[in-house]
Amino acid sequence: MDFSIHHTASPLTEAFADLRSDCLVVGVYPNGEFTPSAAALDHLSGGLLTRLTQRGDLEMTAGKTLLIPSVSGLVKAERVLLVCVGAAEELKPKRWKSLFSESMNALQQRGIQRVDFTLLEAAPQGMSKDQALRHAVLALDEASYRFLDFKSDKTSGLPSVQHAAFLAPADDENTLEQALQQAQAIASGIELTKNLANTPGNVCTPSFLAETAQQLAAQSSLLDVEILERETMQQLGMGSLLSVAQGSDQPPKFIILNYRNAADDTATVVLVGKGVTFDSGGISLKPGEKMDEMKYDMGGAAAVLGIFKAVAAMRLPINLVGLIPSVENMPSGGALKPGDIVTSMSGQTIEVLNTDAEGRLILCDALTYAERFNPAAVIDMATLTGAVIIALARAPSGLLGNNAELLQSILQAGETSGDRAWELPLWDDYQDLLKSNFADMANIGGREGGTITAAAFLSRFTKAYPWAHLDIAGTAWNSGDKKGATGRPVPLVMEWLMTRVNN
Ligand code: BES
Ligand code: MN
Ligand code: ZN
């Protein structure tokens, strides 16, 4: 789907009289008030919108639509889609986005290909025009996303809408063009994240993720990628990471992305993504039901790659490093066993009481590796615990860390982007749960507070820098009939990075 900004001359009545469009989307408030575009159309069509809304043809709740198949009078647009935008004071990111997805549903049903949205004029109060546009683009892109790589028929069920233009007054010109470019960059990152997480484990292996990273680097002069192989990881002492990989025939990869587009003395941000391309549980084998979904256990890695794609596409002026420890967690004769003790890159020893708590075993070595960048902040994202879905359901990502200011800024970015996180405590109280009789720590803390004990484990490797952990087990994936990747937390982290640049 492609997007453009269409600058309208004022008055709108003149602009609309000339506008040739498959469909013009205009907003109406639930109290029957018109947006400027609706008012202009009403005027041109001799009061058609007034008659329809007074007759009750448009249900006056947010997101309800009414397609007007033809508008006579001076209007050249083939069709008009009326959308109830809801009460202005209740327009939060989520509802704002839903106006666009609901519009898409209506447009899709009629096979409409080119559409002009006037809804920016109804953008929520307190939301910048840039932000409103970004939400709109992401919502439309989301609604038109299909994953057909593994279907023989790649044509049926395709979205009809090919092109969306946003009508905006001519004076907004410069900023909106840039905002559109940035929104499309984020959308392309989200698409990559979804595609990777949806790709099955027999294709999306650690090597596949490494190749994907290399392709990104080939497309941007600002991005370098280095892949560490098993031998190098051995030399570095990444015994914890390698212990997870040893049960699989797939070689582990440690992917390093280095994006530099700021002065050398600008502090680096490091993003770490869990890249378990399939999590069978290992010898602590998972039950069979829904085990297929464990192909998305590289959702953190996919998000990091998506973020780098977006950052490079918009040439964000930052220094950013991405670290992706990538393995497959399988049972075999050579696999890691419960009771095994491994030595992490930090030197700390770990008694593996459950081989299904493998995410933390690969992340801890990546978090130690991150120290060498002397980072201003490290954010890891990982489908780490089922417990986060029990605690928070699938609405927010779980957020834990060691620096209140960093956590606060991430929570704020979540609110702004609509891709929210929620903080869980990480007090010292929890550290005792990781006690081991034989090693420095165990890799599990028992049934209680599973998300917290996982983060408590990671916190033992992140003392050298401000650190935040996003547990995305619930948010990176939709279960049920909408089964598939969501692209989260790309919107959240992009918002956080962009805010950093602007402050
Ligand atoms: N990848 C899983 C976590 C997960 C579960 C992600 C469900 C998405 C949906 C992780 O490696 C895991 O198995 N965690 C265990 C930890 C336990 C053994 C302490 C879990 O959550 O059960
Ligand atoms: Mn596991
Ligand atoms: Zn896992």
Side-chain angles (χ1 to χ4, degrees), residues 383-456:
T383 47
L384 203 61
T385 64
V388 77
I389 311 175
I390 306 300
L392 300 172
R394 290 170 189 274
S397 301
L399 176 68
L400 306 97
N402 65 10
N403 182 291
E405 209 183 317
L406 173 61
L407 297 184
Q408 198 50 47
S409 65
I410 293 173
L411 289 172
Q412 182 54 53
E415 290 298 329
T416 313
S417 63
D419 178 6
R420 288 189 287 199
W422 194 257
E423 189 181 350
L424 297 173
L426 190 50
W427 300 310
D428 287 342
D429 310 44
Y430 298 106
Q431 293 294 345
D432 285 349
L433 297 170
L434 295 170
K435 269 190 183 147
S436 158
N437 284 0
F438 303 106
D440 298 343
M441 71 193 88
N443 79 328
I444 54 168
R447 280 175 51 80
E448 298 177 355
T451 303
I452 299 175
T453 50

